């Protein structure tokens, strides 16, 4: 008995694929005006009103999500990823540092220049970092070109450290000072008051008291954008006794800077 054989009747395609090709041919045969606006099927550029509504809503939601993601990362970079020179605790009261050495003891020998050069270099590197032509700004205390250490009039620099977002609340009149303020500070405010300033005072705790000179004065001009020489006061210790320990305590005065 002969085996059954199936002979191909010709090329054939799946009905679904055939319908798609037929639709594509029909679209090609449509006139240009029908492709833009089809009154019979109520389509604009091949889409119904419901189709345009869906695609509009899709892209609207998509762009809102993209905008929210972008805003999220902007906030992360602005408030979380803090640069190295930015303090981790914004608006905290600033500290005070001393130059050339932020230490409790500063020792120097006026007639041994080899011990003075490193001190002078440290001071000038610090002043250069301030910009504002700071070396010339404080040049009145550098007559011996070694910042007074050669002539026994050593100069130190008191700096208020920068804190982003900190706004000093200053004492603008002597009457506003706390009761424990030194008596000299009352006279300083009477003389230099009138502008918002953070005041600087000193107290000799032990040893003979040298003559204290300030430049530009015993104060820091206060603002929330203090920079450069605005954050620095030069202090010259004149008539320093030789071979004697002198303990001097410096304090800055503002309502929101703890003493």
């Amino acid at each position: 008995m002969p085996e059954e054989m199936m002979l191909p009747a010709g090329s054939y395609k799946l009905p679904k694929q055939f319908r798609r090709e037929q639709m594509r041919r029909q679209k090609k045969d449509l006139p240009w005006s029908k492709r833009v606006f089809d009154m019979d099927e109520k389509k604009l550029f091949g889409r119904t009103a419901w189709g345009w509504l869906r695609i509009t809503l899709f892209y609207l939601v998509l762009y809102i999500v993209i905008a929210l993601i972008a805003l999220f990362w902007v906030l992360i970079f602005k408030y979380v990823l803090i640069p190295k020179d930015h303090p981790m605790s914004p608006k905290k009261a600033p500290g005070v540092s001393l130059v050339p050495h932020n230490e409790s003891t500063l020792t120097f020998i006026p007639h041994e220049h080899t011990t003075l050069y490193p001190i002078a270099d440290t001071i000038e590197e610090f002043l250069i970092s301030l910009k504002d032509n700071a070396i010339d700004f404080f040049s009145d205390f550098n007559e011996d070109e070694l910042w007074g250490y050669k002539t026994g009039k050593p100069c130190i620099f008191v700096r208020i450290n920068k804190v982003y977002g900190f706004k000093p609340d200053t004492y603008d009149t002597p009457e506003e000072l706390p009761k424990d303020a030194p008596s000299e500070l009352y006279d300083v405010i009477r003389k230099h008051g009138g502008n918002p300033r953070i005041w600087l005072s000193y107290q000799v705790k032990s040893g003979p008291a040298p003559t204290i000179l300030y430049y530009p004065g015993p104060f820091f001009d206060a603002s929330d954008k203090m920079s450069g020489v605005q954050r620095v006061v030069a202090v010259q210790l004149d008539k320093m006794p030789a071979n004697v320990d002198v303990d001097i305590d410096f304090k800055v005065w503002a309502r929101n800077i703890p003493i």
Side-chain angles (χ1 to χ4, degrees):
M1 184 175 182
E3 297 181 0
E4 294 182 1
M5 299 181 61
M6 295 183 63
L7 299 176
S11 60
Y12 64 93
K13 297 181 179 179
L14 297 175
K16 189 174 182 180
Q17 183 178 358
F18 176 75
R19 286 197 300 270
R20 288 178 179 174
E21 289 189 0
Q22 189 176 18
M23 290 175 65
R24 281 197 294 268
R25 285 197 297 268
Q26 288 176 355
K27 288 182 179 179
K28 290 181 180 179
D29 295 336
L30 287 174
W32 180 84
S33 59
K34 281 275 189 180
R35 294 182 187 180
V36 175
F37 185 66
D38 190 344
M39 288 291 295
D40 298 331
E41 298 188 12
K42 298 180 180 180
K43 291 183 178 180
L44 179 64
F45 291 104
R47 295 183 184 274
T48 62
W50 173 240
W52 279 113
L53 179 62
R54 285 186 300 174
I55 196 170
T56 301
L57 289 175
F58 170 78
Y59 281 106
L60 181 62
V61 172
L62 175 65
Y63 287 126
I64 289 176
V65 171
I66 292 174
L68 290 175
I69 293 173
L71 178 62
F72 170 78
W73 285 110
V74 168
L75 294 176
I76 288 292
F77 280 106
K78 186 174 182 180
Y79 295 106
V80 178
L81 301 179
I82 303 175
K84 293 181 179 179
D85 60 343
H86 194 297
M88 295 299 292
S89 300
K91 299 185 180 180
K92 185 178 179 181
V96 176
S97 57
L98 301 178
V99 177
H101 299 300
N102 195 25
E103 300 174 358
S104 58
T105 303
L106 175 62
T107 303
F108 65 97
I109 304 175
H111 59 272
E112 291 187 8
H113 292 182
T114 55
T115 65
L116 305 183
Y117 293 147
I119 296 176
D121 290 343
T122 300
I123 290 175
E124 292 181 359
E125 288 173 5
F126 163 70
L127 295 178
I128 290 172
S129 70
L130 295 176
K131 300 178 182 180
D132 293 345
N133 202 19
I135 292 179
D136 291 338
F137 183 79
F138 294 109
S139 61
D140 287 354
F141 287 172
N142 191 27
E143 293 180 357
D144 62 358
E145 298 185 351
L146 288 173
W147 297 100
Y149 288 86
K150 179 180 177 181
T151 54
K153 300 177 181 180
C155 179
I156 62 175
F157 294 84
V158 182
R159 176 180 63 179
I160 288 186
N161 299 326
K162 188 174 183 64
V163 173
Y164 288 82
F166 175 78
K167 295 181 179 180
D169 185 8
T170 59
Y171 297 110
D172 298 326
T173 63
E175 292 73 23
E176 298 175 9
L177 286 171
K179 294 181 180 180
D180 58 344
S183 58
E184 297 84 0
L185 191 57
Y186 289 83
D187 296 332
V188 168
I189 295 181
R190 291 189 186 98
K191 181 178 180 181
H192 299 284
N195 296 315
R197 284 170 170 167
I198 300 172
W199 305 101
L200 178 64
S201 70
Y202 76 94
Q203 180 183 6
V204 178
K205 290 189 171 183
S206 65
T211 301
I212 304 292
L213 302 175
Y214 299 96
Y215 189 85
F219 53 79
F220 305 86
D221 286 320
S223 73
D224 57 347
K225 297 180 180 179
M226 295 172 64
S227 62
V229 296
Q230 289 180 318
R231 296 190 294 119
V232 178
V233 171
V235 181
Q236 187 179 71
L237 309 178
D238 195 5
K239 300 179 182 178
M240 279 288 290
N243 304 318
V244 177
D245 291 336
V246 179
D247 186 8
I248 303 176
D249 185 26
F250 289 97
K251 292 182 180 179
V252 293
W253 296 83
R255 286 189 178 89
N256 52 351
I257 300 179
I259 300 174

